[in-house]
Amino acid sequence: MELTNKEKMLLEDQLQAEYLCISKYKSYETQAVDPEIKYIFNMVYKQEQQHANAIKDLLIQGGFEPPQQQ
């Protein structure tokens, strides 16, 4: 699959947004006291990880190196 430069840039932007969400949900999980809230933040964190992995796969299939999480 070949990606245009615009598609590459959009995917990279979306990947950065996913990385930000991952960071925030992990932080919220750490700060939460209630076990149920911790569980919910962990579940959402894992979903965001899956989203990031899917975007990375698209970039790799398009012949690009995905940016790393900071």
Side-chain angles (χ1 to χ4, degrees):
M1 165 177 72
E2 193 170 318
L3 296 175
T4 66
N5 210 25
K6 185 173 184 175
E7 290 169 327
K8 173 193 175 274
M9 288 174 36
L10 290 170
L11 285 171
E12 288 176 339
D13 286 346
Q14 185 59 44
L15 184 56
Q16 292 299 336
E18 294 293 341
Y19 287 157
L20 180 60
C21 289
I22 288 167
S23 174
K24 285 183 177 186
Y25 286 123
K26 195 65 176 166
S27 175
Y28 298 157
E29 177 195 8
T30 303
Q31 295 173 35
V33 177
D34 186 309
E36 290 181 43
I37 300 296
K38 279 185 165 300
Y39 175 79
I40 291 169
F41 282 133
N42 184 265
M43 293 298 294
V44 176
Y45 160 80
K46 288 178 182 178
Q47 288 177 341
E48 296 297 337
Q49 282 280 45
Q50 290 175 343
H51 296 162
N53 289 339
I55 295 169
K56 285 193 267 186
D57 288 345
L58 287 172
L59 285 166
I60 290 169
Q61 289 173 13
F64 298 101
E65 181 69 30
Q68 298 299 313
Q69 188 170 1
Q70 299 176 1

